[in-house]
Amino acid sequence: MKLSTSGDIHRLFLEEDKDTMITRNNVRRICLQSDIKCHLARNTILVDANDFISKINPYKINKHFYTIPRLRCINGCVKEWNKQRQKGERYIHADEIRAFLKNDQTVFKYKFGNRWIVNYDQLEPHLKKIGKTECPYWSEFYRRINANKVQSKKN
C-alpha cells in the first residue's frame, strides 16, 4: 500500500497527460465514492495510490504508451476523437457519447458537478464502432438543411 497525497496523484496525472480532468478535489471525491482506501491526516488526505489507479483503470488498458488513463470530459473526448480519427471514420457528436454512456457499464465514468469525467482509453474502442455507423444527429441536421433549401427555392 503506497500512500500518496491527493496533490501527488494530481501531479502524477498531470505529468502523463496535460489535458487531464483529475484535480485534487476530484481525487478526494472519487476516493469517497469508489471505496478507495484513504486516511485523513491533519489537512491532507492520504490515498492508496495503487488502489486508486486500479479503480480508475480496472481493465488495465495499456494500449497506448500512457501508464495513466486519459480522463476527459465528454466534450474533450469528442475533440480528441475528431482530431485523431483515421481515414474512413466519421466525426463523433457529443450526444452520441452521452447516449452510449447511459447504457454502458464497461467505461469508467464519474459525475463531477454538471460534467461527466470519462476514461478515454476505455471509450476509444467503442468510438471506433460508433464511427462506422451512420449518425442520426447529423442526418437529421442535413435533412433540415435540405428542407430549408427546398422551401427557399419555392419562395
Side-chain angles (χ1 to χ4, degrees), residues 6-154:
S6 57
D8 291 339
I9 292 176
H10 165 67
R11 285 187 289 280
L12 179 69
F13 275 80
L14 208 54
E15 284 175 11
E16 293 290 326
D17 182 12
K18 65 180 173 77
D19 296 327
T20 188
M21 289 293 294
I22 291 292
T23 62
R24 289 178 59 216
N25 291 333
N26 288 358
V27 170
R28 292 175 185 150
R29 287 186 183 182
I30 291 171
C31 286
L32 294 174
Q33 291 180 356
S34 300
D35 282 340
I36 296 172
K37 299 171 196 154
C38 60
H39 305 285
L40 182 62
R42 295 195 184 188
N43 293 333
T44 60
I45 293 183
L46 298 174
V47 178
D48 182 6
N50 297 333
D51 192 24
F52 185 83
I53 297 296
S54 67
K55 293 279 178 147
I56 285 187
N57 190 11
Y59 300 109
K60 310 222 181 325
I61 293 178
N62 56 3
K63 179 180 173 185
H64 302 281
F65 58 90
Y66 295 99
T67 57
I68 293 179
R70 295 181 286 172
L71 299 179
R72 305 279 188 267
C73 64
I74 291 177
N75 289 336
C77 290
V78 170
K79 287 178 186 175
E80 184 99 16
W81 173 262
N82 291 338
K83 179 176 67 175
Q84 57 124 18
R85 66 187 178 84
Q86 300 294 321
K87 185 177 180 180
E89 296 172 334
R90 65 173 176 80
Y91 289 102
I92 299 285
H93 196 273
D95 290 336
E96 291 179 278
I97 295 177
R98 284 187 196 96
F100 171 76
L101 290 175
K102 281 182 184 176
N103 301 323
D104 184 66
Q105 298 297 323
T106 60
V107 176
F108 173 82
K109 56 187 178 273
Y110 169 72
K111 182 87 168 171
F112 183 72
N114 63 348
R115 292 185 178 241
W116 280 100
I117 297 174
V118 179
N119 185 336
Y120 183 77
D121 293 329
Q122 292 175 349
L123 182 65
E124 192 172 29
H126 300 290
L127 291 179
K128 289 182 181 182
K129 292 176 190 171
I130 293 171
K132 293 183 183 186
T133 61
E134 186 176 332
C135 175
Y137 301 103
W138 291 115
S139 58
E140 175 67 22
F141 173 72
Y142 289 129
R143 188 187 61 76
R144 283 189 210 156
I145 289 177
N146 290 335
N148 290 341
K149 286 182 183 179
V150 171
Q151 287 177 357
S152 63
K153 287 180 182 179
K154 289 180 180 178

